[in-house]
Amino acid sequence: MSAAASDTLRVPLDALDEQVRAALRSLGLGEAHVQAMARTIVAGQRDACPAHGIYRVLTCAHTVRAGKVDLQAEPLVEADGSAVVRVDARYAFSPLAFERGLPALVDAVRRHGVGALAIRHCFHYSALWPEIEAIVAHGLAALAVTPSHAWVAPAGGHKPVFGTNPIAFGWPRPGPYPLVFDFATSAIARGDLELHRRAGTPLPPDCGVDAQGQPSTDPIAVASGAMRTFGGHKGSALALMVELLGGALIGDWTSRESLAFDAGSGAAPCHGELILAFDPAHLGGADAAEGARRAEAMFDAITAQGARLPSQRRFDARERSLREGATVPAALYREVLAMAGA
Ligand code: NDP
C-alpha cells in the first residue's frame, strides 16, 4: 500500500479484495454472496467509480443492519428452454442472483438469438456495467435496466415517483474492451449525492429540489425533496420505461413500492432487474461480420474527432489500477479495515 496523495492510498487489488471479503464476511453473509459482492465492489474501486467501490461495503452493512436482507439465500433459477430465464433472488443481494442466472441466459440467447433474464426480489446496490461486461464477454450485446427507491420527480413535477433507474448497454468489440455505457436516468446518481453529503459539498446545479419544490444544490435538502431526471422530459420518459420494464413487466415492485417496503430504514432498494441479450451472429446472420465492421467504423468516426467512447475513462483507470493498485480514500479504507478486523 502506498500514499498517492495525503488523503488517498494506492492499494494493490488483491489486498483490497481480501479486505473487502473480510468486511463482507463480518456482516454474516454466506460465502457465495461474499464472493459475488466483492467482485462488484472491487471492480468499482478498480475502475475509479467511487460511488460503487468500497463505499458500498458501508451501505451494504447498513442494509444488513436494517434486517430485511437474507444473508444466505441461494437464488432460484428457472430456465425452461424458452428465451426467458427467471431468477428469484429471495430477498438477498443481487450479484449472486445475476451470476447464477448468467449461464442460462447465455444458453437461451445462443438458442433463440435473443434472451431475457428477469431477476426478482433482490436488494440492489451495484452498478450495471459489471453485469453487462460479463454478458458481452460471450460475444453478445446486452441491455439492462433496474428501478431503485422513489427519489426522483417526473419532469414538470416535484414529488418523487421514479428511482434513479440506470440503463446500461454493451456491444462486443475485438480487443480486450467492449463498448459499454451505464448511467442513471437521474441527473446525478444517488451514490454520488451521498458522497456529496458525506463530504459536505454542494451538488451540481439542476440535480434536484428541496421539500418545498424549490431548486437546491444542498444534498441534504434534495434528499428530503426530490432529485431530477437528466434531460427534462426525455430522461423522465426513460425513467418511466425503466419502472415498467424492470418492475411492472417482470411482476416486481416499482421504485415506489421499494421505498415503501424500506419504511425509512435507509437500506438498499429491493426490487427486480431486467436484462436483455442479443446474439449478433444470430440476428445479423450472413451479414454479422459486416455489421461488426460498420460498428467499428462508427466508433472510429467518434474517436477520430477527439470525442471518447463511454467507458474509456473506466478502462484507462482499470489499466492503471492493475499496474499500480486502486486509488482509495484513506478514511474510507480505514472504515473497511476496521470492519474486516484488520
Ligand atoms: P456517469 O454520468 O458517470 O457516466 C455515464 C456513462 O457515460 C458512463 O458509461 C461513462 O463512461 C459515459 N461518459 C461519461 N462522460 C463521457 C464523455 N465525455 N464521453 C463519452 N462517454 C462519457 O454515470 P451516472 O453517474 O449516471 O451513473 C453511475 C453509476 O450508477 C452507473 O454505473 C449506474 O449503473 C449506477 N446506478 C446504480 C443504481 C442501482 O440502483 N443499482 C441506480 C442508479 C445508478 P466512463 O465511466 O468511462 O466515464
Side-chain angles (χ1 to χ4, degrees):
M1 191 190 311
S2 64
S6 57
D7 56 351
T8 62
L9 305 165
R10 287 208 88 90
V11 182
L13 292 176
D14 51 356
L16 188 66
D17 193 45
E18 196 180 313
Q19 299 305 339
V20 167
R21 281 165 207 258
L24 293 173
R25 268 183 214 114
S26 78
L27 300 175
L29 285 154
E31 192 56 26
H33 284 289
V34 167
Q35 303 292 332
M37 292 168 70
R39 275 190 273 279
T40 69
I41 290 170
V42 173
Q45 200 68 42
R46 177 199 66 198
D47 282 16
C49 299
H52 292 89
I54 63 169
Y55 163 66
R56 288 292 156 181
V57 174
L58 308 186
T59 63
C60 289
H62 184 79
T63 297
V64 168
R65 282 194 293 271
K68 289 178 182 160
V69 65
D70 190 314
L71 305 180
Q72 308 290 335
E74 177 60 31
L76 291 177
V77 180
E78 249 184 80
D80 58 5
S82 75
V84 176
V85 177
R86 289 187 188 80
V87 181
D88 185 348
R90 301 167 69 208
Y91 298 95
F93 286 111
S94 66
L96 185 63
F98 171 77
E99 289 191 4
R100 292 288 196 257
L102 178 62
L105 174 67
V106 172
D107 221 47
V109 180
R110 293 270 181 255
R111 205 164 322 134
H112 301 287
V114 296
L117 174 60
I119 300 174
R120 304 206 305 161
H121 311 141
C122 64
F123 282 82
H124 207 293
Y125 66 85
S126 61
L128 301 185
W129 56 258
E131 298 174 353
I132 292 290
E133 284 192 30
I135 298 168
V136 173
H138 293 271
L140 307 175
L143 180 69
V145 295
T146 186
S148 65
H149 278 329
W151 287 315
V152 181
H158 60 274
K159 293 194 179 135
V161 175
F162 305 138
T164 48
N165 296 9
I167 300 176
F169 172 78
W171 176 267
R173 300 189 65 193
Y177 293 121
L179 181 283
V180 177
F181 69 72
D182 179 12
F183 56 76
T185 48
S186 49
I188 186 170
R190 188 71 176 192
D192 287 321
L193 181 145
E194 289 302 326
L195 291 175
H196 277 284
R197 189 184 55 74
R198 278 171 68 95
T201 51
L203 300 173
D206 298 328
C207 286
V209 295
D210 63 21
Q212 285 70 48
Q214 296 305 311
S216 175
T217 57
D218 175 355
I220 297 171
V222 170
S224 57
M227 300 165 75
R228 287 195 200 281
T229 61
F230 80 90
H233 63 282
K234 299 182 186 182
S236 188
L238 288 175
L240 173 64
M241 178 192 77
V242 172
E243 296 290 342
L244 296 175
L245 291 181
L249 179 73
I250 61 171
D252 209 323
W253 287 337
T254 67
S255 298
R256 299 170 74 221
E257 288 90 32
S258 173
L259 191 63
F261 174 69
D262 185 62
S265 74
C270 180
H271 46 66
E273 176 177 355
L274 180 67
I275 300 169
L276 303 176
F278 313 88
D279 185 356
H282 204 125
L283 289 161
D287 296 321
E290 183 56 17
R293 192 199 60 73
R294 288 190 192 120
E296 290 302 315
M298 181 178 63
F299 300 149
D300 288 346
I302 293 169
T303 54
Q305 55 183 292
R308 76 166 169 93
L309 295 177
S311 287
Q312 193 54 55
R313 176 202 63 84
R314 241 176 7 86
F315 296 147
D316 292 346
R318 184 180 306 182
E319 295 284 344
R320 186 168 178 213
S321 294
L322 289 167
R323 280 193 317 270
E324 302 170 17
T327 303
V328 178
L332 186 55
Y333 195 46
R334 277 195 296 274
E335 289 186 66
V336 172
L337 290 177
M339 277 177 66

